[in-house]
Amino acid sequence: MRHLGTACFIVVAYLTGMRPAEVLGLQAGCCPEAASGQHLIYGRKFKNAFDEDGNHHLAGRLREVPWVAIPPVVRAIHVLESLVPAEGLLFDAAVHTFVTVPTHSTASLRFTGLHSRIEAFAAWASGLARTLGRDSEVVPDDPHGAIGLARFRRTLAWHIARRPGDLVALAIQYGHMRTAVSSGYAARGRDGIHQLLDIETARATADTLTNLHDDLAHGAGISGPAARRAIHAAAQTPAFAGSIRTHRQARDILGNPALTVYDNPRSLLMCVYNRERALCHRLDADDAPRLDRCRPSCANIARTDHHAAQLLQHAQSLEKQAASETAPGPLSDRLAHRATQLRALADRHKHDRVHTQEPTS
């Protein structure tokens, strides 16, 4: 039961962007059923919770704007509500000791206690995975030490900004989170998580440009209709080289239209974003690329030698699947056709690739 309560804390803290104190301050009934299908979490804020005289409210203050909840969070809250009294704290310290005679209090679990519970949960989950022979699900040792509570928000922002695409379930989940934190509620009430998202997005952009700058400096080629713009953006990398630590630094990068370069490993290309040329936007007016809607004929596409090598590697994998005796005929034909398309893209890159030594004007 301790591990169940800890798992619920991890889900809520990780998939809402709440601060740890805000999660611990949630009460039963904080996430009522929503007729519209969009669940909202009503809680308290503790940061800057001062009255008119400057006195800090130890119990926090009710937030004017709720959080947007996605299904895993709603399920975790419902599990917690089944453990605690009506309108009680979801992480009531007395209830979560799970003694023989249940009691309840007005105090939540403490940070230090949760730290040890999270470490114990990770050890338990790893032991269970080994017992079941599922070594791939063992929680690896963290090179940075124990998992601090404040790291959940940073990790969430990192994953959303870096656009995980290797697992469909994760891509869908983080897509839901990106939608949630961009909604009207979040836009007015989540300055903290928005700043983290800006910082992580700027860092991802800086990493992409730094890698591109280094590749071009070592003689790598680049092709595509946006190749020249990518070279120009990479040339500005030294101007912001180093760690991006503040929100102002992040906004300086994200607000520079010459630096809007996004790597898209799922589509094996790079997007050098220009809103007027983008084919990923038809009816909406977002001022950011939709990397799940990349179109082969878009004028914002660029590819490096690395992308071309990945195209060939993927083509070989598809050809191997197509040649398998177990592949049905129609599927084999589709796989072979897709492999041919990928090889054609790689050949086009080889023919059209340019270098930084060449004129860029």
Side-chain angles (χ1 to χ4, degrees):
M1 294 297 290
R2 283 169 58 92
H3 292 324
L4 177 62
T6 303
C8 290
F9 175 86
I10 292 172
V11 170
V12 176
Y14 181 39
L15 292 177
T16 61
M18 291 185 189
R19 294 179 174 86
E22 293 169 334
V23 177
L24 295 177
L26 293 177
Q27 296 176 292
C30 64
C31 186
E33 293 294 333
S36 63
Q38 183 182 55
H39 289 83
L40 302 176
I41 302 175
Y42 297 87
R44 295 176 177 273
K45 64 177 182 179
F46 295 86
K47 186 177 181 180
N48 298 323
F50 299 97
D51 60 20
E52 296 179 354
D53 298 324
N55 300 313
H56 186 262
H57 289 281
L58 295 180
R61 299 177 62 181
L62 288 175
R63 289 174 55 92
E64 297 178 357
V65 180
W67 288 277
V68 180
I70 55 178
V73 175
V74 177
R75 289 196 294 271
I77 290 176
H78 288 170
V79 169
L80 291 167
E81 288 175 334
S82 69
L83 304 177
V84 301
E87 299 184 1
L89 292 168
L90 293 182
F91 293 95
D92 184 306
V95 172
H96 281 268
T97 57
F98 299 109
V99 294
T100 304
V101 180
T103 60
H104 65 90
S105 67
T106 58
S108 65
L109 294 171
R110 296 181 178 274
F111 283 15
T112 53
L114 272 171
H115 280 294
S116 61
R117 287 176 182 239
I118 290 173
E119 293 299 315
F121 174 79
W124 171 81
S126 295
L128 181 61
R130 293 189 183 95
T131 300
L132 298 176
R134 304 171 73 165
D135 292 344
S136 63
E137 297 182 12
V138 171
V139 180
D141 293 334
D142 195 312
H144 300 289
I147 300 175
L149 302 186
R151 291 171 60 183
F152 287 112
R153 299 174 76 240
R154 286 291 305 276
T155 305
L156 170 65
W158 188 94
H159 275 293
I160 292 177
R162 304 285 173 154
R163 306 173 307 278
D166 52 339
L167 296 175
V168 173
L170 283 180
I172 293 173
Q173 188 64 72
Y174 291 123
H176 289 172
M177 280 306 305
R178 183 182 291 276
T179 300
V181 299
S182 299
S183 69
Y185 294 96
R188 292 186 292 122
R190 288 203 196 173
D191 293 339
I193 192 65
H194 274 286
Q195 290 183 2
L196 281 177
L197 285 172
D198 287 343
I199 290 174
E200 293 302 332
T201 301
R203 286 175 175 171
T205 299
D207 289 346
T208 297
L209 290 174
T210 298
N211 292 335
L212 178 59
H213 178 272
D214 293 343
D215 289 343
L216 295 175
H218 288 85
I222 186 170
S223 68
R228 302 293 184 182
R229 286 189 284 132
I231 292 175
H232 176 71
Q236 302 183 53
T237 300
F240 55 83
S243 178
I244 299 171
R245 298 182 180 276
T246 68
H247 186 238
R248 176 175 293 183
Q249 291 173 323
R251 297 307 302 168
D252 287 343
I253 292 177
L254 298 179
N256 187 340
L259 302 179
T260 52
V261 180
Y262 303 85
D263 191 27
N264 190 352
R266 295 185 66 188
S267 298
L268 303 177
L269 54 82
M270 184 177 293
C271 173
V272 188
Y273 185 67
N274 181 309
R275 176 67 180 83
E276 296 179 355
R277 303 181 183 183
L279 295 184
C280 57
H281 292 298
R282 290 294 188 182
L283 301 177
D284 50 47
D286 291 343
D287 195 22
R290 290 295 303 270
L291 298 179
D292 58 337
R293 297 182 184 176
C294 279
R295 300 291 182 264
S297 57
C298 184
N300 290 335
I301 286 178
R303 284 192 173 90
T304 65
D305 291 344
H306 293 301
H307 292 124
Q310 292 168 356
L311 286 169
L312 292 175
Q313 183 179 6
H314 192 35
Q316 292 173 357
S317 176
L318 294 179
E319 289 167 348
K320 184 177 180 179
Q321 296 177 51
S324 173
E325 295 180 355
T326 60
L331 176 60
S332 178
D333 292 341
R334 288 197 297 271
L335 292 173
H337 178 67
R338 179 56 179 163
T340 300
Q341 291 178 322
L342 296 179
R343 287 191 176 278
L345 290 174
D347 290 341
R348 185 183 306 169
H349 168 80
K350 183 178 180 180
H351 180 269
D352 297 341
R353 63 198 293 269
V354 295
H355 304 270
T356 54
Q357 291 81 1
E358 302 176 17
T360 57
S361 60

